[in-house]
Amino acid sequence: MTTVGAVTRAALRARRAALVRLAAWSAAEALPAALTGLLTARAVDAGFLAGRPAVGLLWLGLLAAAVLVGAVGTNRAYACLGDVVEPFRDDLLRRVVTGALAGATGGRVDDAAVGRLTHQVEIVRDTWAGLLTVVRGFLFAACAAIVGLFSLAAPVALLVTVPVLAGLGLFAAAVPAMIARQREYVLADERLTRVAVTAVAGHRDVSVSGAREPVTRWVGRHVDAQARVERRLAAMAVTRGLSLAVGGWLPVPVVVLATPWLVRQGLGPGAVLGALVYVVRGVQPALHTLVQGVAAGGLRFTVTLDRLLRTAVPAPGEAVPAGGARPAPRGPTALSLRGVTFRYGPHADPVLDDFDLDVPDGDHLVVVGASGIGKSTLAAVIAGVLRPQAGTVEVGGIPVAGATAAELARRRVLIPQEAYVFTGSVRDNLRYLRPDLADPAIVRAAARLGLSELVDRLGGLDATLRPAGLSAGERQQVALLRAWLSPAPLVILDEATCHLDPATEARLEAAFAARPGTLVVIAHRVSSALRARRVLLLDGRRALLDSHPGLLARSAAYRELVGYWEAGAEPLRSSPTPGRSAPLPTGSARRSSP
């Protein structure tokens, strides 16, 4: 995935000249902070207390001149700020619009894109400008004040350092919780935007059907949820206040209480006053700006930009993170599709259109996509259950079209979502695809898959199975053990673990991945994609083949799909007709395959 840090660094590198100008004018802006305490001390000690008011006024005049220089620096710094911020905003707009259009052409209408385009991009733009202002302000003002303190009164600088560091430590400890609250706010805002767009678009149907009150309650629940998130976010202001109290205000009484000691060390009244000016007018405002700016703007910038990047597309020429894609293993091909076109009727849109795919021997491939997009159709075509209208399918170098049932059984085994178990002994069910298998081999395989307890619970190998007496999960486990015992080198699991808990699913998939041969999994959970060597994404427009990290970096559709999975929701149905998938454009898989 393109990270917030990578995008931010790229934006800064692209505007180096503007940043240099911004830094130069920021240094001019910080001139009063560097000289205020020193000139005040000179005016008091060498001027007014020494009985020379003219000298004191001269020093104050120099301070006034420094303030004028600082005012010019502030004016020019804000002018330079736009040269850094606005190009970054334009780039974000291009990303969001491109991602939304790409999703729309694939049949996925993303209502939340409205919120991203009109609200979240402006949040990022404003917080980016604020964050640059905060960082430059803290760096230049704090450095100027600290340099002035050490040049005027080094003991005071040491006294101020301890509470400032303590305040910064408290703030740093609270940052993770602040990020979590800000992320909750951004996601709640997207959900509310999506719900509001849906309700407004369907207001006529709502009125006609008399569903106004239920829809109002539905929208109201999301409004209340966002309000709760905003209240939790506002509660973090207490932590910020404590950090500012310790790091920003505590140094003042510390310096005041230490004044007698400082005077005994040889500091004059003017020097003590100048030190207080540095603390109150330099260190304290700089720390206040940093804490408030990072808490209010920095967190919003990080979380909101991260959300935008998850749903946008990479900028042109943007590099995929190193290690994102793993090359396919070399060697013989276990499965090959060339120019495959399949449709469910002569006038139906093709589910697979001129589809190409190569799966090397020993590969572990997971197929993902929205519900109804064609994943099970692809599995059935691979297994020879469905015959394509055009193209060729080869398993182990043998064309599926001309193979007999016995030949296919020796080369591939398909376990569908609803597993087949027949009335008969456990032994007969397990060695259905390999009748000559001895009992010790069955027992070892059951132990390897962690299914020995299941076999014992069913009554042992001699017990009689009756399909009606088994749960859906038990039927799937029996079918999976049968597939493991099969002589076929290619195993196709078409959501064959959907009735199992995630831990059992992970154990069985890991066992099949370690089994000699090739594994193709139609994914039911995102965890299957995490375990795979390669992932094939079908999104209605094209097929993309890469690793899980590679697809996260390359595909907005995959990021959206993973987001639905992680949220515990079913992937959106994006096919134009229930039970049928949107077509893939000609040659899409060929172009996308590594």
Side-chain angles (χ1 to χ4, degrees):
M1 183 191 71
T2 305
T3 63
V4 171
V7 171
T8 305
R9 289 190 295 271
L12 292 175
R13 285 195 300 268
R15 309 301 297 177
R16 288 191 186 95
L19 284 173
V20 170
R21 292 194 300 271
L22 180 61
W25 288 113
S26 296
E29 182 185 14
L31 185 63
L35 299 178
T36 297
L38 183 62
L39 295 179
T40 300
R42 296 289 184 270
V44 172
D45 289 335
F48 300 115
L49 290 182
R52 296 185 293 177
V55 174
L57 291 175
L58 179 60
W59 286 112
L60 293 181
L62 292 176
L63 178 58
V67 170
L68 291 176
V69 173
V72 174
T74 300
N75 177 270
R76 297 306 305 162
Y78 275 99
C80 294
L81 195 63
D83 295 335
V84 179
V85 173
E86 294 307 320
F88 184 61
R89 172 184 178 272
D90 295 341
D91 176 63
L92 284 180
L93 286 174
R94 283 190 292 269
R95 289 170 180 263
V96 173
V97 171
T98 304
L101 290 176
T105 57
R108 300 182 320 278
V109 178
D110 184 9
D111 294 329
V114 177
R116 286 191 285 273
L117 184 63
T118 61
H119 184 48
Q120 292 183 21
V121 168
E122 291 306 314
I123 287 178
V124 172
R125 179 243 193 192
D126 294 342
T127 52
W128 176 231
L131 197 58
L132 286 174
T133 302
V134 165
V135 171
R136 75 176 183 86
F138 177 76
L139 289 176
F140 287 92
C143 289
I146 290 172
V147 169
L149 264 175
F150 272 100
S151 64
L152 179 66
V156 178
L158 296 176
L159 289 174
V160 170
T161 300
V162 175
V164 169
L165 291 178
L168 288 174
L170 286 173
F171 178 70
V175 165
M178 294 180 184
I179 292 176
R181 297 290 184 269
Q182 188 64 41
R183 183 176 289 110
E184 289 178 2
Y185 169 76
V186 172
L187 295 178
D189 175 71
E190 278 199 13
R191 286 192 293 267
L192 180 58
T193 301
R194 188 180 289 112
V195 167
V197 170
T198 302
V200 171
H203 72 282
R204 292 184 180 179
D205 294 336
V206 171
S207 300
V208 171
S209 62
R212 183 174 302 173
E213 291 187 5
V215 172
T216 300
R217 289 195 297 271
W218 177 54
V219 176
R221 284 195 298 271
H222 286 82
V223 173
D224 294 340
Q226 187 181 33
R228 287 193 297 271
V229 170
E230 291 191 10
R231 285 193 292 269
R232 288 196 293 268
L233 187 62
M236 299 307 299
V238 176
T239 305
R240 297 198 300 272
L242 181 61
S243 301
L244 289 174
V246 173
W249 292 103
L250 187 58
V252 176
V254 168
V255 173
V256 171
L257 293 175
T259 297
W261 176 77
L262 293 172
V263 172
R264 288 195 299 271
Q265 300 302 313
L267 244 63
V272 174
L273 178 61
L276 284 173
V277 169
Y278 275 127
V279 172
V280 175
R281 303 292 299 174
V283 174
Q284 188 183 91
L287 182 63
H288 184 276
T289 301
L290 177 69
V291 171
Q292 295 287 27
V294 171
L299 298 180
R300 296 175 71 199
F301 171 80
T302 301
V303 174
T304 309
L305 179 56
D306 177 69
R307 182 59 181 164
L308 284 174
L309 295 176
R310 287 178 179 272
T311 53
V313 297
E318 189 169 76
V320 175
R326 282 177 290 180
R330 303 279 183 184
T333 300
L335 173 65
S336 177
L337 285 76
R338 285 290 177 269
V340 171
T341 297
F342 179 86
R343 51 171 53 90
Y344 281 96
H347 303 294
D349 290 330
V351 179
L352 303 173
D353 192 358
D354 197 20
F355 185 85
D356 291 349
L357 176 66
D358 287 316
V359 180
D361 187 32
D363 200 7
H364 179 186
L365 176 70
V366 165
V367 183
V368 301
S371 298
I373 206 68
K375 304 186 298 295
S376 293
T377 300
L378 176 60
V381 169
I382 291 172
V385 176
L386 295 176
R387 297 296 174 91
Q389 284 81 22
T392 60
V393 179
E394 293 184 356
V395 174
I398 302 300
V400 170
T404 64
E407 290 173 335
L408 288 177
R410 287 194 297 270
R411 297 183 178 277
R412 60 93 183 105
V413 57
L414 169 67
I415 305 298
Q417 181 175 346
E418 298 303 326
Y420 171 67
V421 177
F422 57 86
T423 300
S425 68
V426 174
R427 179 185 295 102
D428 290 341
N429 271 274
L430 293 179
R431 65 180 190 179
Y432 173 70
L433 298 174
R434 195 171 174 182
D436 59 342
L437 199 63
D439 287 355
I442 299 176
V443 173
R444 287 194 300 270
R448 175 66 181 82
L449 272 65
L451 298 180
S452 298
E453 183 180 345
L454 171 68
V455 174
D456 293 340
R457 188 169 66 250
L458 295 176
L461 297 179
D462 293 321
T464 300
L465 282 188
R466 291 178 175 81
L470 300 180
S471 68
E474 289 173 331
R475 288 196 296 272
Q476 284 191 334
Q477 291 178 79
V478 170
L480 287 166
L481 182 51
R482 176 198 300 153
W484 172 272
L485 295 169
S486 162
L490 172 63
V491 176
I492 307 165
L493 305 182
D494 184 8
E495 297 194 16
T497 58
C498 63
H499 297 300
L500 305 179
D501 61 88
T504 303
E505 177 186 70
R507 185 185 74 242
L508 291 171
E509 281 192 13
F512 272 95
R515 178 182 184 269
T518 306
L519 178 63
V520 175
V521 179
I522 307 301
H524 175 67
R525 298 183 178 97
V526 68
S527 53
S528 295
L530 297 175
R531 289 187 289 266
R533 179 179 291 114
R534 296 192 300 164
V535 181
L536 173 66
L537 170 66
L538 304 180
D539 72 349
R541 298 179 297 113
R542 54 179 180 164
L544 286 179
L545 185 60
D546 208 326
S547 66
H548 172 73
L551 284 179
L552 283 177
R554 296 172 58 189
S555 172
Y558 188 69
R559 292 192 291 270
E560 282 291 314
L561 184 63
V562 170
Y564 279 108
W565 259 331
E566 290 176 341
E570 288 297 322
L572 291 179
R573 182 177 297 278
S574 58
S575 58
T577 305
R580 297 291 182 267
S581 302
L584 292 168
T586 300
S588 60
R590 182 186 303 113
R591 292 193 301 269
S592 304
S593 300

